[in-house]
Amino acid sequence: MKIGIIGAGQVGATAAYAMTMRGVGSEIVLVDRKAELAVAQAHDILDATPWSYPVRVRAGEIADLAGAGLVVLAAGASQKPGESRLDLLSRNAEIFSGIIPAVLAAVSDCIFLVGSNPLDIITYIVTVLAGRHGFPPERVIGSGTILDSARFRTLLAAHLGISPAYIDARVLGEHGDSEILHWSGAMVGDISVAEAARQMGRELTDADKSRIDTAVRRAAYNIIQGKGATWFGVGAGLARIAQVIQGDERALITCSMMTQDCLGVRNVALSLPRVLGGGGVMKTFMPNLDAGESAALKRSAEILKEMAEEVRL
């Protein structure tokens, strides 16, 4: 599968590197408004291919994305000092209003994978813009809470002393402050994490849950404070989603997509567990939630809906 990545900054380049190291894609084309950056990143990643997989990595322009099965969107404006959230979103809407038609003129049957923040709102923007050209919403996917869910699993694994590979735990809703850790559905094999903790002799108290919740919710802030931005985790998540699409795995991935109805909130982009394959999202599941989780997810959807309705498209 040929993969295009628009935006050759840290997130886009790390995603390309992670795909190369996993052997995802036969060809990766990096596109950036700073052409010299795309060239340098592509050259640097290509140098790693003797020790990874024979993926062809090069820089190009949007026209060079012809034939791509997947286009990763890692571009977008950063917030300026004193700039409002609405102004930032409006600037990003303007940026993507130029990118999306240009991509669709080059390749009309790709899948869009959004990695730009604010993730869910950009996913909404891309879905609306692409929809004006008849592009189906199930082919616009945001990485969503795949990273938050990985953090949740990792922290639970550390508490229980079990490999995170055997923990199924998901974060729902916004990739951001209103996200919901789905505690009632977190499982180790076929038993709940609470029961697993009891049997392991590692009780999972309310204080433990609060600590894990805070660590998941604040992870990005802590990383940004230390080094300015996050890119390794999301780059790996984008590579995993690309791998699922390439292999038509029909895997259950917690990712963002325009959702017709989420607990009464209509047409909102947010993360839920979804069956993902070669043609995009095949099915969305609404998890079993307790009363508190249900109310929190509805509030997250409402927050995202309010933000989306502020954007000038």
Side-chain angles (χ1 to χ4, degrees):
M1 180 175 68
K2 181 177 179 180
I3 298 172
I5 298 179
I6 300 179
Q10 295 285 19
V11 170
T14 302
Y17 178 71
M19 291 174 193
T20 301
M21 299 307 287
R22 293 182 75 118
V24 179
S26 57
E27 179 182 7
I28 298 174
V29 181
L30 286 169
V31 179
D32 198 278
R33 62 185 180 85
K34 296 179 181 178
E36 67 278 9
L37 175 62
V39 170
Q41 298 280 39
H43 189 168
D44 198 12
I45 296 166
L46 188 64
D47 287 345
T49 56
W51 303 287
S52 57
Y53 292 85
V55 179
R56 299 186 299 277
V57 186
R58 65 184 178 94
E61 300 178 350
I62 287 181
D64 296 313
L65 300 183
L70 176 68
V71 175
V72 178
L73 300 172
S78 299
Q79 194 161 11
K80 298 177 180 178
E83 184 177 40
S84 71
R85 180 190 66 192
L86 178 57
D87 287 339
L88 173 63
L89 288 173
S90 296
R91 282 203 296 128
N92 273 310
E94 185 176 351
I95 289 169
F96 284 101
S97 69
I99 290 174
I100 300 308
V103 172
L104 291 177
V107 51
S108 60
D109 58 350
C110 66
I111 290 175
F112 283 115
L113 174 55
V114 180
S116 304
N117 279 322
L119 192 286
D120 300 290
I121 305 303
I122 299 298
T123 301
Y124 169 85
I125 289 170
V126 172
T127 304
V128 171
L129 293 173
R132 292 173 180 172
H133 299 266
F135 198 82
E138 64 270 16
R139 295 178 74 87
V140 180
I141 303 158
S143 59
T145 59
I146 188 173
L147 175 55
D148 311 84
S149 298
R151 290 167 175 157
F152 189 16
R153 291 170 59 195
T154 300
L155 290 165
L156 278 173
H159 180 82
L160 297 174
I162 297 173
S163 166
Y166 300 99
I167 295 176
D168 187 7
R170 301 175 188 275
V171 177
L172 311 173
E174 180 189 7
H175 172 57
D177 292 340
S178 71
E179 64 189 23
I180 301 96
L181 276 64
H182 186 202
W183 283 103
S184 69
M187 305 289 289
V188 178
D190 63 350
I191 61 175
S192 70
V193 292
E195 177 59 17
R198 187 191 68 78
Q199 293 190 29
M200 292 288 293
R202 302 191 180 196
E203 186 181 1
L204 190 61
T205 66
D206 288 343
D208 293 322
K209 288 184 176 182
S210 178
R211 172 180 52 81
I212 292 171
D213 185 289
T214 299
V216 171
R217 203 175 297 277
R218 298 292 304 176
Y221 294 102
N222 294 334
I223 294 169
I224 290 168
Q225 184 177 9
K227 68 175 194 174
T230 69
W231 54 80
F232 291 121
V234 67
L238 291 167
R240 174 60 184 139
I241 293 173
Q243 183 180 42
V244 168
I245 292 168
Q246 175 178 264
D248 189 25
E249 289 187 28
R250 319 294 176 93
L252 191 63
I253 300 290
T254 307
C255 57
S256 186
M257 191 188 95
M258 184 76 88
T259 305
Q260 287 188 351
D261 185 283
C262 179
L263 301 175
V265 182
R266 304 277 302 171
N267 298 321
V268 59
L270 81 176
S271 285
L272 290 170
R274 306 181 194 274
V275 180
L276 183 59
V281 173
M282 304 172 63
K283 182 67 178 178
T284 296
F285 292 114
M286 176 56 72
N288 293 321
L289 306 169
D290 65 28
E293 292 166 344
S294 182
L297 179 58
K298 182 175 183 179
R299 182 54 188 150
S300 184
E302 290 170 344
I303 289 169
L304 289 168
K305 180 69 173 178
E306 290 165 5
M307 290 173 64
E309 289 179 340
E310 292 178 343
V311 180
R312 297 186 293 272
L313 286 174

